Amino acid sequence: MPQPDLSVVFPVYNEEENVPILLGEIAAALDGRRWSYEIVAVDDGSVDGSLQVLRDSRTKYPNLRIITFEKNAGQTAALDAAWRAARGTFVVSLDADLQNDPADIPPMMKMLEESGADMVIGVRVNRHDTWSRKMQSKIGNGVRNWITGDHITDTGCSLKLVRREAVARVKLFTGMHRFLPTLVRMQGYKVMEMPVNHRPRQFGISKYGAMNRAFRGLADCFAVRWMGKRMLKYRIREEI
Ligand code: UDP
Ligand code: MG
């Protein structure tokens, strides 16, 4: 396949019921549109039937590529592998659990093209999570923005579309996928936000608890703040 316009990437950790539905939704959203696309699924060491389901799906979806990890390495690692494997001019990431809606991808592509931005990130307007999860996010986004000096409404939304060259420059560390818009912005790229759909998780379970999110997240905020302060800022005047 020649280089596609778009790579749709998602990390998979024990999402066997969700994967077939997700693939169908991606195809429904993108087949017949003006963008050529590939799908890159990263199996992050699933111990259910996810990998088999992915393998079996390749006959129906020949544009599906699969990367498998030796063992569970976490969501940031899976996303990093996906972004590195992606061949599209643009890359859109989303969760495999159907909480994000692939129908949002075409409007995001249009916004990116029309605005000339380098990244469009989703803002979950009708968030379908527990009250305590929504509260954690509210506090998390507030603290994050306050410490990093950024202004991102919903950095926890996995639905993110980015010019691949922009994400290729970012060195990721565990947990840092949540700071991707800030890290991309630090490189001098333009990031925009767009309201997107959000749905309740129907199958499988959430992989996170409140504690691992909050405490690690706080340390990450300071790391990102430090990076922002220490960014190399220079422009070459002349090369002789
Ligand atoms: N995920 C992963 N590796 C992990 C944990 C999660 O690949 O170690 C994937 C998971 O399968 C899903 C996405 O990351 O596609 C988000 O996970 P989850 O839905 O559990 O997070 P939440 O929506 O609760 O924040
Ligand atoms: Mg989820």
Side-chain angles (χ1 to χ4, degrees), residues 143 146-148 179 217-228:
V143 171
W146 179 52
I147 297 176
T148 63
F179 293 84
L218 195 59
D220 294 346
C221 287
F222 286 105
V224 171
R225 181 193 170 100
W226 178 89
M227 280 186 218

Side-chain angles (χ1 to χ4, degrees), residues 11-13 15 44 72 74-75 78 95-97 99 133 201 205-208 213:
V12 177
Y13 184 48
E15 307 283 3
D44 183 15
N72 181 249
Q75 195 180 345
D95 283 347
D97 62 356
Q99 291 207 257
R133 270 299 295 281
R201 200 190 236 281
I205 52 161
S206 169
K207 277 63 186 188
Y208 298 101
R213 224 187 278 269

Side-chain angles (χ1 to χ4, degrees), residues 111 120-127 133-146 148-160 178-182 185 191-196:
M111 183 188 245
V120 174
I121 57 172
V123 176
R124 295 167 287 186
V125 273
N126 58 343
R127 178 108 183 248
R133 270 299 295 281
K134 286 192 259 193
M135 206 57 211
Q136 283 168 41
S137 284
K138 232 185 166 52
I139 297 168
N141 281 312
V143 171
R144 234 178 244 134
N145 285 330
W146 179 52
T148 63
D150 207 346
H151 45 88
I152 306 281
T153 314
D154 184 15
T155 195
C157 179
S158 296
L159 190 56
K160 292 180 171 114
R178 294 196 188 90
F179 293 84
L180 194 71
T182 303
R185 224 173 229 164
V191 180
M192 293 186 76
E193 297 186 320
M194 199 187 97
V196 296

